[in-house]
Amino acid sequence: MGSSVRKGKAVLPAEQAARPSREQPRRAATEDYHHEAQNANNGQAITASCKNKDADLQFKIQAYIDKNTVMIFSNTACSLSAKVKELFKSMSIPYCSLELDQTEDGQKLQDVLYELTMETSVPIVFVQQKQIGDYDKTLKAHKEGKIQKLLETKGHDHMQDSYDYDLIVIGGGSGGLAASKEAAKYGKKVMVLDYVTPTPQGTRWGLGGTCVNVGCIPKKLMHQAALLGQALQDSRKFGWQFEEKAVKHSWETMTEAVQNYIGSLNWGYRVSLREKKVTYENAFGEFVGPHTIKATNNKGKEKFYTAEKFLIATGERPRYLGVPGDKEYCITSDDLFSLPYCPGKTLVVGASYVALECAGFLAGLSLDVTVMVRSILLRGFDQEMANKIGEHMEEHGVKFIKEFVPIKVEQIEEGTPGKLKVIAQSTDGREIIEGEYNTVLLAVGRDACTRTIGLDKVGMKINERSGKIPVSDEEQTNVPYIYAIGDVLEGKLELTPVAIQAGRLLARRLYTGATLKCDYVNVPTTVFTPLEYGACGFSEETALEKFGEENIEVYHSYFWPLEWTVPSRDNNKCYAKIICNIQDNERVIGFHVLGPNAGEVTQGFSAAIKCGLTKAQLDNTIGIHPVCAEIFTTLSVTKRSGGNILQSGC
Amino acid sequence: MGWEEKAARGYSEFVQAAQQSRGRPVFAFFSGDKDAQGRSWCPDCVTAEPVVRSELNSLPDGAVFIYCQVGDRAYWKDPNNEFRKNLKVTAVPTLLKYGTPQKLVEEECLNRELVRMLFTED
């Protein structure tokens, strides 16, 4: 039992002669041993009683080690024992010492200690249950700062060096990679497990998570492809001359280029992890017990690993409708960005930013696009802005079917793309409609990847309905050694930079004693619909609810980007709005812009908002001319006044 | 079956060697030209070559390893040289897996573990 087993050392039979120590003479305790043996009736009984005695002594030794932060097995006659005690006294570290020459069974205890520690003499020092050794080893450990380090860690149930890793990160996306690289910076032994379960269509991708492979990166590149198409049209008005029929778009060329770039990012992450000495395995990680996970690779091979701490960063995957034909025939954003053939006439189901951004760029590439929406657009976003986005898309050829949901998807024809029939029902149940499309893209929400990673085996609480993980403001779950970041979190923004920031700060808090927590307030975002939307802070609805109509002032205006004047594009569509808190110096608490390069515009203002930007400061800022963002330095019409904000020109 | 090495001097020889190896995994090491004594004008290439060669035994079966000398220093410094324009190889030494975005550039080539990773993983 006890530490002999833990250390993997054989328990030597008690009959073995006690080894004389260097520092102390043979003890009279041996006599006691003989006494007991002689009292026994036969050979076996002697053995038995020897073994029992041994077990008792092992137990006693172990108890001393376990119960004391610093344990010194010592001898009053031993000068090195005295020296080691002095050492701890000089460090003002309290210790417990057992003087073996003064203890009953002292010699036997010493023998047991030898079997446990392989130290032939006293003193034998333990710190936080970890064996340091004799005086020389203790002095060396002290000089290397190891003793201090051991004392700083709070008492653990397990010994640190019995774990395979300091930190295992499950999920190699934005959050997981940032946290693992940061932890490795501080010398921690880190492993990252990343695994992509193929989509129902069989799509898979490499290291880097959603953003890099099937999210932000390919989305923005395809959005750019669409914008360039528009720019080509505008260019004629600026004097560029070419035949209309010379302009065609190749889906395959675009997708190959995008995938190539993503491939270089996947590779870059592999190199980066290797260089920073983070172990990476392409395997599915799941908990099988406390501090233990099982990693299964795509060949089914299983490996088990233990770690002192874990970080769950498994993200989300697209939700399906749960209607016949959805998994067989529909695709999601997981499939779209690597689709080897042009999707053709597309039905996008959903009203999220994923749905609208995808519908937007597909239409921009001259595809026939319809969006089927159950209720409102962009739930959770400022609804005035959401509606303007929808209107703009409609004016530019995107068809909307509102208040309908698909109830069945059938295949009419196979092919790449094939032909699909979608049967949909109105939300009030009264009407059924049908439509034919080459591709049906589902974008009806994303589900957290927490159901199949064994969280029940470690007693982790998750939100049963959504699957998301509630955490403290330090990203700690209800299990003290398990943390979580990124899209899996309940109640937090699902954005790459948020996950990265949270991951880095968490690693610093865990391994450097830093205290800075992730600030989830006033995080700027941008929706890359054809008319881009950038926002920071409160939506108008939320501000009204929180502060009351009389306490907020909304300044707004339309604006016309100079670049759009010559091609006569979209006047009085671009829109700027700020929401100010009257009771707090007209502090800007909400920033909204609808127009080109909305992300670039919003980033700068979000820094100002973090500094406590007020309306007066904005008014005091001189604009840059001629750019879209300057509108924010000259806002004067409030919603309250009902004044006209239509523009007639520069 | 093992792996095979091909030597190429200059861009057209490289392209030829790569085309001859179609259907097989192709790895290429780009180095500055070596002089008559066998030393390259590119000092990092000199250091990297033994590291790369030490890991060649981890190449997959049937692989082709092309050792390509790109040209003299003047040719390389020209921003319009063919390697830069057509292959996007902008630094020497570069070690890459042809037809994929996987490559190691400059001091990355000196890292034995990275070289092994490039040769063995997909």
Side-chain angles (χ1 to χ4, degrees):
Chain A
M1 70 160 279
S3 43
S4 297
V5 172
R6 216 201 297 186
K7 285 225 178 275
K9 288 191 173 61
V11 177
L12 302 170
E15 285 84 11
Q16 208 158 332
R19 277 150 290 282
S21 68
R22 268 184 285 150
E23 296 282 319
Q24 71 172 109
R26 204 77 188 254
R27 294 271 93 208
T30 326
E31 273 174 71
D32 295 340
Y33 170 73
H34 276 308
H35 256 285
E36 286 200 49
Q38 272 154 15
N39 286 337
N41 288 329
N42 53 46
Q44 271 183 318
I46 294 173
T47 319
S49 73
C50 294
K51 284 237 166 83
N52 283 340
K53 185 95 186 196
D54 232 17
D56 282 342
L57 293 174
Q58 280 167 26
F59 190 76
K60 202 169 167 184
I61 299 270
Q62 196 56 50
Y64 274 111
I65 297 172
D66 287 344
K67 292 193 164 92
N68 297 293
T69 308
V70 178
M71 184 63 211
I72 305 176
F73 294 98
S74 165
N75 183 293
T76 55
C78 165
S79 61
L80 288 180
S81 291
K83 263 175 130 172
V84 90
K85 286 178 211 159
E86 278 309 310
L87 179 63
F88 282 100
K89 276 199 199 119
S90 73
M91 295 193 273
S92 302
I93 297 171
Y95 58 83
C96 170
S97 70
L98 179 67
E99 309 301 328
L100 294 173
D101 54 328
Q102 311 274 313
T103 314
E104 192 187 324
D105 294 323
Q107 179 58 58
K108 274 260 67 203
L109 283 169
Q110 181 141 354
D111 293 340
V112 170
L113 268 172
Y114 172 75
E115 281 154 17
L116 175 64
T117 65
M118 302 311 281
E119 294 287 344
T120 52
S121 61
V122 290
I124 305 173
V125 176
F126 284 80
V127 176
Q128 295 270 41
Q129 292 83 50
K130 190 170 158 47
Q131 178 184 340
I132 308 293
D134 63 12
Y135 173 72
D136 287 330
K137 291 195 187 111
T138 306
L139 187 63
K140 183 167 183 280
H142 165 58
K143 288 195 176 140
E144 290 171 4
K146 289 199 174 122
I147 305 225
Q148 276 301 346
K149 199 163 168 247
L150 279 169
L151 290 171
E152 270 153 30
T153 61
K154 312 277 162 61
H156 290 282
D157 290 341
H158 304 256
M159 282 161 58
Q160 268 96 321
D161 48 41
S162 68
Y163 292 129
D164 299 320
Y165 290 89
D166 294 312
L167 176 69
I168 291 183
V169 178
I170 309 181
S174 305
L177 291 179
S180 63
K181 287 194 267 188
E182 189 75 16
K185 251 169 76 172
Y186 306 118
K188 294 296 152 189
K189 195 168 175 215
V190 185
M191 164 182 266
V192 171
L193 294 172
D194 187 66
Y195 190 79
V196 178
T197 308
T199 72
Q201 299 300 325
T203 313
R204 353 159 67 118
W205 50 88
L207 179 62
T210 296
C211 174
V212 164
N213 293 287
V214 288
C216 331
I217 303 291
K219 175 267 298 283
K220 185 96 190 289
L221 289 172
M222 293 196 177
H223 171 65
Q224 176 66 359
L227 289 177
L228 288 171
Q230 174 71 69
L232 275 170
Q233 296 306 320
D234 289 354
S235 73
R236 284 224 172 78
K237 298 285 172 58
F238 285 91
W240 290 99
Q241 298 174 333
F242 48 91
E243 305 268 312
E244 180 65 57
K245 55 182 194 279
V247 177
K248 289 192 298 259
H249 183 259
S250 161
W251 173 270
E252 288 80 3
T253 304
M254 174 184 73
T255 320
E256 194 185 313
V258 169
Q259 287 302 316
N260 232 13
Y261 178 63
I262 292 174
S264 72
L265 291 178
N266 297 140
W267 175 249
Y269 284 125
R270 303 281 304 281
V271 171
S272 174
L273 288 184
R274 244 340 139 87
E275 279 179 334
K276 293 175 169 61
K277 310 239 186 298
V278 174
T279 309
Y280 159 63
E281 275 212 19
N282 183 214
F284 184 87
E286 58 188 296
F287 286 96
V288 290
H291 290 274
T292 313
I293 52 135
K294 174 172 79 168
T296 311
N297 72 8
N298 60 6
K299 296 193 175 59
K301 179 150 176 224
E302 294 177 354
K303 286 195 215 171
F304 294 85
Y305 299 105
T306 59
E308 194 201 333
K309 297 203 202 315
F310 290 84
L311 178 60
I312 297 173
T314 49
E316 301 176 302
R317 293 297 291 272
R319 195 178 296 154
Y320 280 81
L321 285 171
V323 302
D326 65 352
K327 289 199 176 147
E328 295 93 305
Y329 307 120
C330 301
I331 62 168
T332 67
S333 57
D334 280 357
D335 307 294
L336 179 65
F337 302 110
S338 56
L339 208 59
Y341 52 85
C342 180
K345 179 177 176 193
T346 305
L347 174 71
V348 178
V349 182
S352 56
Y353 71 81
V354 176
L356 298 185
E357 285 175 343
C358 290
F361 74 70
L362 289 173
L365 300 176
S366 306
L367 299 180
D368 179 335
V369 178
T370 307
V371 180
M372 186 176 287
V373 165
R374 187 176 50 102
S375 65
I376 61 170
L377 298 180
L378 295 174
R379 186 178 300 277
F381 287 83
D382 185 295
Q383 284 299 290
E384 179 186 24
M385 308 305 281
N387 288 326
K388 285 187 188 301
I389 290 172
E391 277 162 25
H392 181 265
M393 285 173 74
E394 264 181 298
E395 281 164 22
H396 287 262
V398 177
K399 295 176 277 237
F400 278 82
I401 299 178
K402 295 190 183 162
E403 290 175 18
F404 271 84
V405 292
I407 54 174
K408 192 168 189 211
V409 180
E410 289 172 353
Q411 185 178 61
I412 304 172
E413 238 178 70
E414 264 189 63
T416 52
K419 245 194 233 163
L420 299 171
K421 177 156 87 171
V422 177
I423 300 159
Q425 185 175 47
S426 57
T427 49
D428 61 13
R430 287 196 238 180
E431 216 187 314
I432 304 264
I433 57 172
E434 278 182 13
E436 262 182 41
Y437 306 92
N438 294 123
T439 299
V440 176
L441 172 70
L442 300 179
V444 295
R446 292 172 68 78
D447 290 322
C449 297
T450 52
R451 311 273 187 195
T452 58
I453 57 173
L455 294 182
D456 52 314
K457 305 254 178 8
V458 287
M460 169 145 352
K461 291 200 179 56
I462 64 171
N463 180 316
E464 277 310 322
R465 194 190 50 82
S466 68
K468 290 191 162 223
I469 304 179
V471 291
S472 68
D473 63 359
E474 304 209 355
E475 288 87 26
Q476 192 177 35
T477 68
N478 70 306
V479 181
Y481 62 90
I482 305 182
Y483 299 79
I485 52 171
D487 290 359
V488 266
L489 294 189
E490 185 174 56
K492 302 280 199 280
L493 293 159
E494 293 170 20
L495 296 167
T496 283
V498 172
I500 293 176
Q501 180 84 323
R504 287 209 184 116
L505 294 181
L506 174 67
R508 281 179 215 162
R509 288 198 305 274
L510 289 180
Y511 301 117
T512 71
T515 53
L516 191 61
K517 299 183 215 183
C518 189
D519 184 359
Y520 292 100
V521 169
N522 288 334
V523 175
T525 66
T526 297
V527 180
F528 295 96
T529 34
L531 191 56
E532 293 177 10
Y533 167 40
C536 183
F538 291 108
S539 66
E540 199 174 328
E541 302 91 352
T542 313
L544 281 168
E545 202 189 299
K546 196 171 154 114
F547 298 93
E549 204 206 320
E550 61 289 1
N551 293 317
I552 68 166
E553 195 74 83
V554 180
Y555 294 86
H556 67 158
S557 178
Y558 284 108
F559 62 93
W560 203 16
L562 180 63
E563 295 81 1
W564 294 9
T565 56
V566 163
S568 304
R569 237 200 318 145
D570 293 321
N571 192 6
N572 290 314
K573 289 288 180 289
C574 294
Y575 181 71
K577 171 166 86 172
I578 57 167
I579 303 163
C580 303
N581 182 353
I582 299 177
Q583 294 181 310
D584 182 20
N585 255 342
E586 275 206 314
R587 195 147 330 261
V588 177
I589 57 170
F591 173 96
H592 304 266
V593 64
L594 194 63
N597 306 115
E600 308 290 2
V601 171
T602 308
Q603 184 73 88
F605 284 103
S606 72
I609 289 172
K610 245 206 197 318
C611 297
L613 180 71
T614 61
K615 179 64 167 65
Q617 284 171 322
L618 211 40
D619 292 343
N620 265 342
T621 308
I622 298 182
I624 301 171
H625 187 74
V627 301
C628 296
E630 63 173 309
I631 191 74
F632 285 99
T633 61
T634 57
L635 290 172
S636 55
V637 179
T638 62
K639 276 203 178 174
R640 200 189 301 279
S641 71
N644 178 29
I645 53 168
L646 291 172
Q647 302 287 299
S648 54
C650 176
Chain B
M1 195 198 153
W3 53 272
E4 186 194 328
E5 176 162 348
K6 289 193 200 298
R9 279 194 87 111
Y11 182 73
S12 19
E13 268 186 40
F14 172 76
V15 171
Q16 210 177 8
Q19 279 175 350
Q20 280 168 1
S21 317
R22 194 161 288 184
R24 300 157 70 184
V26 175
F27 297 87
F29 181 71
F30 298 93
S31 163
D33 275 7
K34 288 177 165 172
D35 60 20
Q37 282 74 46
R39 260 191 105 77
S40 168
W41 53 260
C42 159
D44 283 342
C45 303
V46 172
T47 329
E49 188 179 337
V51 176
V52 171
R53 289 205 172 277
S54 74
E55 290 296 328
L56 286 175
N57 47 32
S58 51
L59 281 173
D61 268 351
V64 175
F65 174 71
I66 303 179
Y67 185 90
C68 179
Q69 295 182 59
V70 299
D72 62 23
R73 194 183 229 129
Y75 167 81
W76 184 249
K77 292 298 179 194
D78 174 10
N80 286 321
N81 75 59
E82 291 138 311
F83 290 97
R84 237 180 262 271
K85 265 185 16 193
N86 305 341
L87 282 176
K88 301 208 191 58
V89 174
T90 55
V92 280
T94 288
L95 178 67
L96 55 77
K97 186 171 180 179
Y98 191 65
T100 76
Q102 296 176 0
K103 65 177 174 182
L104 298 174
V105 174
E106 290 172 317
E107 61 275 358
E108 289 172 352
C109 300
L110 304 174
N111 185 324
R112 212 169 288 271
E113 281 205 34
L114 291 181
V115 174
R116 196 180 314 139
M117 186 169 83
L118 180 75
F119 287 162
T120 57
E121 292 175 33
D122 43 34

